[in-house]
């Protein structure tokens, strides 16, 4: 687009990527909600809640923040936040679903997923405190 600073566009893409991934989690989370309602089987309720709240709500909020403050999304902490969050949530969600279905031997995998998810939140918080508004 004429007049658009290309460096800034690349930086802003980080926030857009977060938003695109968040909306994919929303589709999965809402799909699970509909399946639970239709089948009247609510076993996966905690997975549904975490996919919607960590996957959709938290990631969409991060995406909006990184759209408003693009430089923060591209720092080392921003990239660490991205990878920790997006690697942990699928592991955590699948492990939680299987544990809820009785595969208790997967509890250590679930615990690792949860710890990495918590570390992603710490990276997010550190990024917000250290790098926000440096654009
Ligand atoms: C069309 C969309 C959705 C449908 C059909 C749906 C369906 C459901 C159902 C059937 C339950 C279980 C209710 C029960 O056990 O009595 C539930 C629980 C829940 N949902 Fe959704 N949901 C939807 C969207 C969302 C969204 C967008 C969020 C969050 C951003 C969300 C967060 C939660 C939470 C926190 C619980 C409680 C989990 C628990 O008690 O362990 N849901 N939902």
């Amino acid at each position: 687009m004429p007049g658009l600073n290309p460096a800034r566009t690349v930086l802003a893409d980080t926030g857009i990527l977060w938003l695109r991934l968040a909306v994919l989690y929303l589709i999965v989370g809402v799909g699970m909600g509909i399946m639970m309602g239709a089948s009247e089987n609510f076993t996966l309720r905690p997975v549904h809640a975490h996919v919607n709240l960590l996957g959709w709500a938290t990631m969409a909020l991060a995406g909006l923040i990184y759209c408003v403050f693009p430089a923060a999304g591209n720092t080392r902490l921003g990239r660490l936040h991205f990878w920790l969050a997006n690697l942990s949530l699928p592991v955590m969600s699948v492990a939680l679903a299987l544990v809820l279905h009785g595969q208790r031997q997967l509890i250590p995998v679930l615990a690792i997923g949860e710890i990495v998810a918590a570390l992603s939140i710490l990276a997010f918080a550190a990024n917000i405190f250290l790098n926000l508004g440096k654009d």
Side-chain angles (χ1 to χ4, degrees):
M1 257 192 277
L4 218 62
N5 175 348
R8 187 173 168 89
T9 311
V10 170
L11 288 175
D13 283 351
T14 311
I16 292 168
L17 178 61
W18 275 99
L19 287 169
R20 289 195 171 132
L21 289 169
V23 91
L24 292 181
Y25 284 115
L26 179 63
I27 291 171
V28 174
V30 163
M32 291 182 76
I34 293 169
M35 300 264 282
M36 285 194 302
S39 64
E40 295 190 32
N41 179 344
F42 304 112
T43 310
L44 294 181
R45 194 171 53 186
V47 184
H48 161 80
H50 282 85
V51 168
N52 275 324
L53 291 171
L54 271 181
W56 162 240
T58 308
M59 288 200 196
L61 213 46
L64 288 177
I65 290 170
Y66 292 142
C67 281
V68 176
F69 302 102
N74 259 332
T75 57
R76 276 178 72 174
L77 270 173
R79 284 192 293 276
L80 185 67
H81 173 208
F82 179 88
W83 285 110
L84 292 180
N86 285 290
L87 291 174
S88 64
L89 188 55
V91 171
M92 187 179 138
S93 304
V94 172
L96 180 56
L98 292 170
V99 168
L100 290 169
H101 277 105
Q103 310 248 7
R104 297 185 56 80
Q105 72 274 19
L106 290 174
I107 287 176
V109 179
L110 173 58
I112 290 169
E114 288 172 342
I115 290 166
V116 177
L119 290 176
S120 82
I121 299 297
L122 287 180
F124 185 31
N127 202 23
I128 295 277
F129 275 96
L130 296 175
N131 296 321
L132 217 61
K134 291 191 174 168
D135 300 271

